[in-house]
Amino acid sequence: MSLVDAAQQLDGAAPLREFRDRFDLPEGVIYLDGNSLGALPRATKARIAEVVGQEWGEGLIRSWNSADWIALPQRVGGKIAPLIGAQPHEVIACDSTSVNLSKLIAAALHMRSGRKAILSEPGNFPTDIYMVEGLEAQGLATRKLAERDALIDALDEDVALLMLTHVHYKTGETFDMAALTKAAHDAGALVLWDLSHSGGALPVELNKCNADFAAGCGYKYFNGGPGAPAYAYVAERHHGDLQQPLTGWMGHAQPFAFDDDYAPAPGVDRLLAGTPPILGLSALEVGVDMIAEIGIDRLIAKSRELSEFFRQAISERLPDLELVSPTDPTQRGSQISFRHVEAYAICQALIARGIIGDFRDPDILRFGFAPAYVSFEDVARAVEALGEIIETGDWDRAGFKQRAAVT
Ligand SMILES: Cc1ncc(COP(=O)(O)O)c(C=O)c1O
C-alpha cells in the first residue's frame, strides 16, 4: 500500500476530521505552518463581517456598551484560561506577546526587589531575550543565560525571574513546567512561561504547576489571525502586588473618571494599557471558541499521531535527514523539525508545490501539525514531496535560494 493510501485509510476513521471543513483552506494547499500563523476559521469571516457591518457600522461608539466591546479582553482571556490550566480571572487578552512579556518581567522585578537577574536559555525566542535587554538598558534588569541542563544550577540569589518558552520554537522540545517552576521557587525566584507554541495545542497546567506568570500568542494554534492579540496570565496570589510600567488609562480602576492620578484596576485588568483592538479580539474569540469546543486532549492526541506518522515516514524515506526534535512525541509540542544545510531552498521548493511548512535560520525545516485541520493525507503528500525534492536536488534553483524579507 502506498503511503498516501495508508494515510487516506487513517483519515477515514480519524478523530476531528469533521473540523477541517470549518476552516477556509485554499484548494491545493497543504498547510503545515499553523504553529506560525493558524488557518482561517470560516466562522471568523462571518463574525468579522458582523462586527464591522453591524457593531461598528451601525452601532458606532454605542457598541462599547451595547456589544460589550469594553469587556472583550477579559472575556477572551477568560475563555483561554481553562485551556492553559488557569482560572478565568487570571488571564487577559491584550497587546502582543512581546509587550506582555515586558510588562510581566517588570512586574516580577518589582516583586523581587533586590534581585535583578532574569534567567533564560540561549536560543530562546529572540523577543523574550530582547525584552530583558530593553529593561537592562534602563538599569532595571540583568540578562543571564544558561543552557537547559545548567538552568537549575544558575538559579542563584540574584535571579528574580526564570523566563522560559514551554515548547521551543525551533526544536519543539518541551520543558518540565512543574519541575522548573518548583526549582525556581525553591531558589526564591518567580517564573514566567512563554506559551506561544503550547497554548491551544497541548495540555498546560499553570495553576497545578504553581506558575507565576505566562504569556502567549493568539495567532498560532488559537487561529486568531495575523497579529492577533496575545494573552497574559498572572497567578491570583500575585494580583495584589502586581505592578507594571505601562500604566495606561485602560488599566485604570476607573478609566472614564479621567482622573489625573493613576489607580490600578483590580487583578489582571491592570495589564491593559490602551484601547483594546476590537476587530482582532473578535477574530481571536472565534478561534478560541473552536479550540475549546474540540478540547485540548483530543487535539494533542491527534497531533501526536500526525507528527509520529510524519517522523516515521521520513525516517524510512530520508534516513539521513537529521531530526532535531525529540523522538518521543510526549517530549515535543505539535511540531517537528529537521536540519538540512539547504533548508531554505527546500522550504521554497515545497511551497512551490503548495506545501507550506517553514524555515528557521540557519538550517531548520519546521513542520507544524495543527490537528484541527491537518489530515494524514496532507502529511503523506508532504513526505512524498520532501522526498522527491531532496532525492532529485529539485531545491537547487536560483529562485528557491533568494531570501524573502519574511521567512
Ligand atoms: C515563542 C515565541 N514568543 C514570542 C513570539 C512573538 O510574539 P509577538 O510577535 O506577538 O510579540 C513568538 C512569535 O513567533 C514566539 O514564537
Side-chain angles (χ1 to χ4, degrees):
M1 200 191 311
S2 77
L3 191 65
V4 170
D5 288 342
Q8 284 169 343
Q9 242 180 40
L10 287 169
D11 279 329
L16 313 190
R17 62 190 181 287
E18 69 275 20
F19 285 96
R20 185 180 172 92
D21 279 346
R22 288 173 55 183
F23 287 87
D24 203 356
L25 290 161
E27 203 56 45
V29 164
I30 291 176
Y31 195 57
L32 303 180
D33 211 1
N35 51 319
S36 202
L37 172 64
L40 168 63
R42 288 186 198 279
T44 304
K45 280 184 161 178
R47 176 66 186 133
I48 289 301
E50 179 181 84
V51 176
V52 170
Q54 285 153 41
E55 296 184 9
W56 177 15
E58 289 170 25
L60 292 165
I61 201 165
R62 294 169 290 187
S63 289
W64 283 105
N65 292 310
S66 58
D68 210 17
W69 283 351
I70 196 71
L72 256 184
Q74 291 84 354
R75 189 164 87 216
V76 177
K79 289 180 175 187
I80 292 172
L83 303 171
I84 54 174
Q87 305 175 74
H89 65 282
E90 293 175 313
V91 182
I92 192 153
C94 59
D95 298 316
S96 62
T97 303
S98 304
V99 172
N100 286 331
L101 289 170
S102 181
K103 288 183 286 187
L104 296 175
I105 297 165
L109 285 164
H110 172 73
M111 287 176 195
R112 287 289 177 275
S113 58
R115 295 178 175 222
K116 266 190 152 178
I118 310 298
L119 175 63
S120 193
E121 65 165 341
N124 191 359
F125 191 81
T127 209
D128 300 48
I129 299 175
Y130 298 163
M131 283 302 172
V132 177
E133 288 179 17
L135 292 163
E136 190 169 33
Q138 300 199 330
L140 299 169
T142 36
R143 187 186 101 151
K144 181 169 183 178
L145 302 179
E147 297 291 346
R148 281 189 172 219
D149 52 8
L151 278 167
I152 291 181
D153 287 342
L155 282 163
D156 63 22
E157 282 171 7
D158 192 35
V159 175
L161 179 74
L162 173 63
M163 177 187 64
L164 296 171
T165 298
H166 182 221
V167 172
H168 195 275
Y169 77 105
K170 270 191 191 169
T171 67
E173 194 175 346
T174 51
F175 275 113
D176 182 339
M177 185 180 280
L180 277 146
T181 301
K182 178 166 187 322
H185 287 171
D186 288 349
L190 297 163
V191 185
L192 164 55
W193 290 100
D194 181 338
L195 300 180
S196 293
H197 292 273
S198 326
L202 60 154
V204 176
E205 294 288 0
L206 290 173
N207 282 171
K208 274 195 194 144
C209 293
N210 224 4
D212 301 289
F213 307 105
C217 295
Y219 50 76
K220 298 179 186 291
Y221 295 103
F222 283 121
N223 304 311
Y231 53 92
Y233 154 90
V234 179
E236 186 190 62
R237 64 183 176 281
H238 294 310
H239 286 190
D241 292 340
L242 181 62
Q243 204 184 94
Q244 62 91 8
L246 302 185
T247 45
W249 73 305
M250 280 287 155
H252 192 281
Q254 288 182 291
F256 295 96
F258 299 106
D259 203 319
D260 277 349
D261 300 318
Y262 181 78
V268 291
D269 291 6
R270 70 184 62 164
L271 291 177
L272 293 179
T275 306
I278 298 305
L279 299 181
L281 284 165
S282 301
L284 176 60
E285 185 170 30
V286 177
V288 170
D289 281 342
M290 203 195 304
I291 292 298
E293 181 187 339
I294 303 173
I296 297 290
D297 291 348
R298 290 204 291 166
L299 288 161
I300 185 68
K302 175 138 184 219
S303 97
R304 283 183 181 149
E305 283 178 33
L306 289 166
S307 72
E308 269 307 271
F309 185 76
F310 186 72
R311 188 189 65 74
Q312 281 166 12
I314 292 281
S315 71
E316 279 163 33
R317 174 101 187 234
L318 297 165
D320 294 338
L321 195 59
E322 184 193 346
L323 177 72
V324 295
S325 303
T327 314
D328 176 354
T330 65
Q331 301 294 308
R332 59 179 190 243
S334 252
Q335 67 187 68
I336 280 209
S337 302
F338 296 93
R339 180 169 286 123
H340 192 291
V341 51
E342 292 296 344
Y344 184 80
I346 292 169
C347 190
Q348 296 309 306
L350 279 168
I351 291 172
R353 292 169 187 231
I355 298 168
I356 305 178
D358 71 10
F359 158 80
R360 282 292 169 262
D361 229 14
D363 54 6
I364 302 288
L365 276 167
R366 186 177 72 164
F367 301 95
F369 303 93
Y373 50 84
V374 173
S375 67
F376 286 96
E377 184 175 343
D378 288 341
V379 174
R381 293 197 184 280
V383 172
E384 304 233 300
L386 188 57
E388 253 172 58
I389 289 165
I390 293 182
E391 284 155 7
T392 63
D394 189 37
W395 49 266
D396 195 9
R397 300 195 216 168
F400 293 157
K401 294 184 169 180
Q402 186 71 39
R403 293 276 185 110
V406 176
T407 58

